[in-house]
Amino acid sequence: MDQSYLKIDRVFKSYSKGPKTTEVLADIRLTIDKGEFVSIIGHSGCGKSTLLNLIAGLTVVTTGAIKLEGREVNAPGPDRAVVFQNHSLLPWLSVYDNVKLAVSKVFGSKKTKAERHDWIMQNLDLVQMTHASDKRPGEISGGMRQRVGIARALAMEPKILLLDEPFGALDALTRAHLQDAVMDIHARLGNTMIMITHDVDEAVLLADRIVMMTNGPAATIGDVLPVAIPRPRDRIALASHPDYVRAREAVLRFLYERHRFVEAAE
Amino acid sequence: MNVTVLKPAPSPAPKPAAQVLALPVVAKRPQWIAGLGRVLGESVAPPVVVLGVLLLIWQIAFSGAGSGLPAPTDVWEQSRELITSPFFVYGTQDIGLGWRVLTSLERVAYGFGLAAVVGVLVGAILGQSALMMRGFDPIFQVLRTVPPLAWLPISLAAFMDSGPSAIFVIFITAIWPIIINTAAGVRAIPQDYRNVAAVLRLNQIEFFFKIMVPSAAPYIFSGLRIGVGLSWLAIVAAEMLTGGVGIGFFIWDAWNSSRLTDIIVALVYIGLTGFVLDRLVGWIGRVVSRGTTE
Ligand SMILES: Nc1ncnc2c1ncn2[C@@H]1O[C@H](COP(=O)(O)OP(=O)(O)OP(=O)(O)O)[C@@H](O)[C@H]1O
Ligand SMILES: [Mg+2]
C-alpha cells in the first residue's frame, strides 16, 4: 500500500455517442501530496475539466482508478469541493444562504446553529465578502461571485479544493486580487489545491507543480514542472526572479513549441 | 431586494442647493400627472371605448320585439339586483352571485390545489428521466385536450358521489399543463446546479425543495397559470353534477328556468373572476421566481 494522498492511476476516459467513441484522456498518472498546490495547464478542449470532474467524482473513469487517502473516488462529495468556472451560485439564495446550504449539509449534525453561523461568517470573511452577505448573486460583481464560490467550497472543509479556471472570466486586476486571496488562504489553511488555468503567469505564481497536458484527443500529461520558488511569493518581486522566468519559459515552450494548438484538427 | 442600500455614499452634494432642490419639486408634479394621464389614455381608455361600442352594437342588434337574446337594457331591467348587490342572502338557495362565486372558488381551490400538488410531484419525477418523459409525454398531450364535460360520466362512474366527482373533474382538467410544464422546467435545470447538489450530496427531498422547485419556478408557475384558468373553465361542468349554490350551477339552473338575463350577468362574474385568478397566479409566480430569473 503506497502512502500518496491523491493518486490518479492509469486513468482513461472516453465518451461514446452511439457507435462512435472518442477517447478524451489516456493513461493519466499523477500523485499529489497533502497540502500541495498543483496547476493544470493545457490548450482549450484537451480535457482539463474532464480530469477535474473525474477527481470530483462528477464523472466516472472508463478504466483506471483515482484514490484519495487510499480509498477509491467514485462519487462526488464535500471532501472534494469544486469552485466552478461560472461560479454556480444559486441565484435565488443570498450570498449568506448559498454558503449556509453547504454548511448545513456538511456540519448540520456536528455544529450547533450558532457555531454554523460563525463558521459561515468566518469563511465569508476569508474572502472579504461579509459586507454583501444579504445580497443575491445577481447583485454583486463577477469577481465577488467567484469569491463567494470559493467561500462556499472552503466552508465544506474539503480535503482537496478543486478549482476549474475560477478566474477565467475576470479582468486582470480582479484576477490578481483573487490570486493573492487564494495564495493567502493556501498559506493559512494548508489545503491541497488543484487549479486549472489557461494563464501561464497564474500557474507559475500559484503552483508548487505545474501539470502540462498534451492536446487531445487522448490527451495525457506531457510534463510536470516543479516550481521551487519559496513562499510567500510576491508578484512584483517575482517578475524578475530567475526561477520564475525559467519556469515561465518552460511552460511557454511546452505549450507553443512542443504542443502547438492545432486549430480545426477535427 | 434593495440594491442601493449597501452602495457607497452618493456623489458629492450639489453646490447651489436652493436652486437645485427647488427644481425637481416643480418639475416632478406635472410629470407625475402626465404619467397618470398617459396610463389612463393608453391602457384604460381603449378597452372602455371598445366596451361601449360593443354594448351599443348589442343594444341595436337585439332591441325590438321578437329578438332571441335580451339587449343590455333588458339585462339591466330584469337582473338589476344580481348586478348591484352581489352579497344578498334571502334563503339558503337564494343568494347573491358574489356568494355563489365564493362557493365555486372553494370547490376550485380543492380541485386545483390537488392538481397543483400532484402535478408538480409527477412533473418533477418525469422531468428527471428522459425515457419516462418520452413515454408519457404523448399520452399527456392527448389527455390535455379532453374537454371537462367529457370527464363527467367517467368521474361519476368512478366516484359514485357527486361531490368528489366534481372536484375530480376540476382536478383532471387542470393537471396536464402543470405536469407538462413542471417536467420541462426540471429538464431545464442547469447542469451547474446539479453539480452543486452532487458535491453537497443533497438527497432527493433536499434536491426537490432547494434546487428543483426554485430553479423550475418560472416553468411551474406558467403551468399553474394555465391550470387555474382551465379549472375555472371546468366549474360549470362540475357543478352540473353537484347542484347547490355555485355559480356554475346557477347558470345551469337559470337556463332550465329560461332566465337568460341572469345567465348573462353570471357570465360576466365568471369572466371577471377567471381574469383575477389568472392575474393572481401570474403575480405570485413573478414574485416567487424573481430570484431565479435575475
Ligand atoms: N459529456 C461529454 N460527452 C462527450 N464529449 C465530451 C463530454 N464532455 C467533454 N467532452 C469532450 O471532451 C473534450 C475535453 O473537454 P473538456 O471540457 O475537459 O476540455 P477543457 O480542457 O476543460 O477545455 P476548456 O479549456 O475549453 O475548458 C472535448 O473535446 C469535449 O468535446
Ligand atoms: Mg474546461
Side-chain angles (χ1 to χ4, degrees), chain B residues 111-112 114-115 118 140 143-152 154-155 159 164-179 227 230-231 234:
Chain B
F112 173 70
L114 212 60
V118 176
F140 291 163
L143 288 175
R144 184 169 71 89
T145 62
V146 174
L149 215 50
W151 290 106
L152 270 191
I154 297 169
S155 176
F159 289 94
S165 302
I167 290 177
F168 178 77
V169 168
I170 295 168
F171 167 85
I172 204 76
T173 309
I175 196 171
W176 310 113
I178 302 175
I179 295 181
L230 288 177
S231 61

Coordinates of all heavy atoms in Angstrom, one line a residue, chain B residues 111-112 114-115 118 140 143-152 154-155 159 164-179 227 230-231 234:
Chain B
G111 N -59.9 21.3 -6.1 CA -59.5 20.6 -7.3 C -58.2 21.0 -7.8 O -57.3 20.3 -8.1
F112 N -58.1 22.4 -7.8 CA -56.8 22.9 -8.4 C -55.7 22.7 -7.4 O -54.5 22.4 -7.8 CB -57.0 24.4 -8.7 CG -55.8 25.1 -9.1 CD1 -55.2 24.9 -10.3 CD2 -55.1 26.0 -8.2 CE1 -54.0 25.5 -10.7 CE2 -54.0 26.6 -8.6 CZ -53.4 26.4 -9.8
L114 N -55.2 20.3 -5.4 CA -54.8 18.9 -5.6 C -54.0 18.7 -6.9 O -53.0 18.0 -6.9 CB -56.1 18.0 -5.6 CG -55.9 16.6 -5.0 CD1 -55.5 16.6 -3.6 CD2 -57.3 15.9 -5.2
A115 N -54.5 19.3 -7.9 CA -53.8 19.2 -9.2 C -52.4 19.8 -9.1 O -51.5 19.3 -9.7 CB -54.7 19.9 -10.3
V118 N -50.1 17.3 -7.0 CA -49.9 16.1 -7.7 C -49.1 16.4 -9.0 O -48.1 15.7 -9.4 CB -51.2 15.3 -8.0 CG1 -50.9 14.1 -8.9 CG2 -51.8 14.9 -6.7
F140 N -50.0 12.5 -22.3 CA -50.4 13.7 -21.7 C -50.9 14.7 -22.7 O -51.9 15.4 -22.5 CB -49.3 14.3 -20.8 CG -49.0 13.5 -19.6 CD1 -47.8 13.7 -19.0 CD2 -49.8 12.5 -19.1 CE1 -47.4 13.0 -17.8 CE2 -49.5 11.8 -18.0 CZ -48.3 12.0 -17.4
L143 N -54.4 13.6 -23.6 CA -55.4 13.8 -22.5 C -55.7 15.3 -22.2 O -56.8 15.7 -21.8 CB -54.8 13.2 -21.2 CG -54.9 11.6 -21.2 CD1 -54.2 11.1 -19.9 CD2 -56.3 11.1 -21.3
R144 N -54.6 16.1 -22.4 CA -54.7 17.6 -22.2 C -55.9 18.2 -22.9 O -56.5 19.2 -22.5 CB -53.4 18.2 -22.6 CG -53.2 19.6 -22.4 CD -51.7 19.9 -22.7 NE -51.4 19.8 -24.1 CZ -51.5 20.9 -25.0 NH1 -52.0 22.0 -24.6 NH2 -51.2 20.7 -26.3
T145 N -56.2 17.6 -24.1 CA -57.2 18.2 -25.0 C -58.6 17.8 -24.7 O -59.6 18.2 -25.3 CB -56.9 17.9 -26.4 OG1 -57.0 16.5 -26.6 CG2 -55.5 18.4 -26.8
V146 N -58.8 16.8 -23.8 CA -60.2 16.3 -23.5 C -60.9 17.4 -22.7 O -60.5 17.9 -21.7 CB -60.1 15.0 -22.6 CG1 -61.5 14.6 -22.2 CG2 -59.4 13.9 -23.4
P147 N -62.1 17.7 -23.2 CA -62.9 18.8 -22.5 C -63.4 18.3 -21.2 O -63.7 17.2 -21.0 CB -64.0 19.1 -23.5 CG -64.1 17.9 -24.4 CD -62.8 17.3 -24.4
P148 N -63.6 19.3 -20.2 CA -64.1 18.9 -18.9 C -65.3 18.1 -18.9 O -65.5 17.1 -18.1 CB -64.3 20.3 -18.2 CG -63.5 21.3 -19.0 CD -63.3 20.7 -20.4
L149 N -66.3 18.5 -19.7 CA -67.6 17.8 -19.8 C -67.4 16.3 -20.1 O -68.2 15.5 -19.6 CB -68.5 18.5 -20.8 CG -69.9 18.6 -20.6 CD1 -70.2 19.2 -19.2 CD2 -70.6 19.4 -21.6
A150 N -66.4 16.0 -20.9 CA -66.2 14.6 -21.3 C -65.8 13.7 -20.1 O -65.9 12.5 -20.1 CB -65.2 14.5 -22.4
W151 N -65.2 14.4 -19.1 CA -64.7 13.6 -17.9 C -65.9 13.3 -17.0 O -65.8 12.4 -16.1 CB -63.7 14.4 -17.1 CG -62.3 14.5 -17.8 CD1 -61.8 15.6 -18.4 CD2 -61.4 13.5 -18.0 NE1 -60.6 15.4 -18.9 CE2 -60.3 14.1 -18.7 CE3 -61.3 12.1 -17.7 CZ2 -59.1 13.4 -19.1 CZ3 -60.1 11.4 -18.0 CH2 -59.1 12.0 -18.7
L152 N -67.0 14.0 -17.1 CA -68.1 13.8 -16.2 C -68.6 12.4 -16.0 O -68.5 11.9 -14.8 CB -69.3 14.7 -16.6 CG -69.4 16.1 -16.1 CD1 -70.8 16.7 -16.5 CD2 -69.2 16.1 -14.6
I154 N -67.3 9.5 -16.7 CA -66.2 8.6 -16.1 C -66.0 8.9 -14.6 O -65.9 8.0 -13.8 CB -64.9 8.9 -16.9 CG1 -65.0 8.5 -18.3 CG2 -63.7 8.1 -16.2 CD1 -63.9 8.9 -19.2
S155 N -66.0 10.2 -14.3 CA -65.8 10.6 -13.0 C -66.9 10.1 -12.1 O -66.6 9.6 -11.0 CB -65.7 12.1 -12.9 OG -65.6 12.6 -11.6
F159 N -66.5 7.6 -8.9 CA -66.6 8.0 -7.5 C -68.0 7.8 -6.9 O -68.2 7.9 -5.7 CB -66.3 9.5 -7.4 CG -64.8 9.8 -7.6 CD1 -64.3 10.1 -8.8 CD2 -63.9 9.7 -6.5 CE1 -63.0 10.4 -9.0 CE2 -62.6 9.9 -6.7 CZ -62.1 10.3 -7.9
P164 N -67.2 14.5 -4.7 CA -65.8 14.1 -5.1 C -65.7 14.1 -6.7 O -64.6 14.5 -7.2 CB -65.6 12.7 -4.6 CG -66.6 12.5 -3.6 CD -67.7 13.4 -3.8
S165 N -66.8 13.7 -7.4 CA -66.7 13.7 -8.8 C -66.4 15.1 -9.4 O -65.6 15.3 -10.3 CB -68.0 13.2 -9.4 OG -68.3 11.9 -8.9
A166 N -67.1 16.1 -8.8 CA -67.0 17.5 -9.3 C -65.5 17.9 -9.1 O -64.9 18.5 -10.0 CB -67.9 18.4 -8.5
I167 N -65.0 17.6 -7.9 CA -63.6 18.0 -7.7 C -62.6 17.3 -8.6 O -61.7 17.9 -9.1 CB -63.3 17.8 -6.2 CG1 -64.0 18.8 -5.4 CG2 -61.8 17.9 -5.9 CD1 -63.9 18.7 -3.9
F168 N -63.0 16.0 -8.8 CA -62.1 15.3 -9.7 C -62.1 15.9 -11.2 O -61.1 15.9 -11.8 CB -62.5 13.8 -9.8 CG -61.7 13.0 -10.8 CD1 -60.5 12.6 -10.4 CD2 -62.2 12.7 -12.0 CE1 -59.7 11.8 -11.3 CE2 -61.5 11.9 -12.9 CZ -60.2 11.5 -12.6
V169 N -63.3 16.3 -11.6 CA -63.4 16.9 -12.9 C -62.5 18.2 -13.0 O -61.7 18.3 -14.0 CB -64.8 17.3 -13.3 CG1 -64.9 18.2 -14.5 CG2 -65.6 16.0 -13.5
I170 N -62.5 19.0 -12.0 CA -61.6 20.2 -12.0 C -60.2 19.7 -11.9 O -59.3 20.2 -12.7 CB -62.0 21.0 -10.7 CG1 -63.4 21.6 -10.9 CG2 -61.0 22.1 -10.6 CD1 -63.9 22.2 -9.6
F171 N -59.9 18.8 -11.1 CA -58.5 18.3 -10.9 C -57.9 17.7 -12.3 O -56.9 18.1 -12.7 CB -58.5 17.1 -9.9 CG -57.3 16.3 -9.8 CD1 -56.2 16.7 -9.1 CD2 -57.3 15.1 -10.5 CE1 -55.1 15.9 -9.0 CE2 -56.1 14.3 -10.5 CZ -55.1 14.7 -9.7
I172 N -58.7 16.9 -12.9 CA -58.2 16.2 -14.1 C -58.1 17.2 -15.3 O -57.3 17.0 -16.2 CB -59.1 15.0 -14.5 CG1 -58.4 14.0 -15.3 CG2 -60.4 15.4 -15.2 CD1 -57.4 13.2 -14.5
T173 N -58.9 18.3 -15.3 CA -58.8 19.3 -16.3 C -57.6 20.1 -16.2 O -56.9 20.5 -17.1 CB -60.1 20.2 -16.3 OG1 -61.2 19.4 -16.3 CG2 -60.1 21.1 -17.5
A174 N -57.2 20.4 -14.9 CA -56.2 21.3 -14.6 C -54.8 20.7 -14.6 O -53.8 21.4 -14.8 CB -56.4 22.0 -13.3
I175 N -54.7 19.4 -14.4 CA -53.4 18.8 -14.0 C -52.4 18.7 -15.2 O -51.2 18.9 -15.0 CB -53.6 17.4 -13.4 CG1 -52.3 17.1 -12.6 CG2 -54.0 16.4 -14.4 CD1 -52.4 15.8 -11.8
W176 N -52.9 18.5 -16.4 CA -52.0 18.2 -17.5 C -50.9 19.3 -17.8 O -49.7 19.1 -17.9 CB -52.7 17.8 -18.8 CG -53.7 16.8 -18.5 CD1 -55.1 16.9 -18.5 CD2 -53.5 15.5 -18.0 NE1 -55.7 15.8 -18.1 CE2 -54.8 14.9 -17.8 CE3 -52.4 14.7 -17.7 CZ2 -54.9 13.6 -17.3 CZ3 -52.5 13.4 -17.3 CH2 -53.8 12.9 -17.1
P177 N -51.4 20.6 -18.0 CA -50.4 21.6 -18.2 C -49.4 21.8 -17.0 O -48.2 22.1 -17.2 CB -51.2 22.9 -18.4 CG -52.5 22.6 -17.8 CD -52.7 21.1 -18.0
I178 N -49.8 21.5 -15.8 CA -48.9 21.6 -14.6 C -47.9 20.5 -14.7 O -46.7 20.8 -14.6 CB -49.7 21.4 -13.3 CG1 -50.8 22.5 -13.3 CG2 -48.8 21.5 -12.1 CD1 -51.7 22.4 -12.1
I179 N -48.3 19.3 -15.1 CA -47.3 18.2 -15.2 C -46.3 18.5 -16.3 O -45.1 18.5 -16.2 CB -48.0 16.9 -15.5 CG1 -48.8 16.4 -14.4 CG2 -46.9 15.8 -15.9 CD1 -49.5 15.1 -14.6
G227 N -53.3 26.1 -15.7 CA -54.1 25.1 -14.9 C -55.2 25.8 -14.2 O -56.4 25.3 -14.2
L230 N -57.9 26.7 -16.6 CA -58.7 25.5 -17.0 C -59.6 25.0 -15.9 O -60.8 24.6 -16.2 CB -57.8 24.4 -17.4 CG -57.0 24.5 -18.7 CD1 -56.1 23.4 -18.9 CD2 -58.0 24.7 -19.9
S231 N -59.2 25.1 -14.7 CA -60.0 24.6 -13.6 C -61.2 25.5 -13.4 O -62.3 25.0 -13.1 CB -59.2 24.4 -12.3 OG -58.7 25.7 -11.9
A234 N -63.8 24.6 -15.9 CA -64.5 23.3 -15.7 C -65.6 23.5 -14.7 O -66.4 22.6 -14.4 CB -63.5 22.3 -15.2

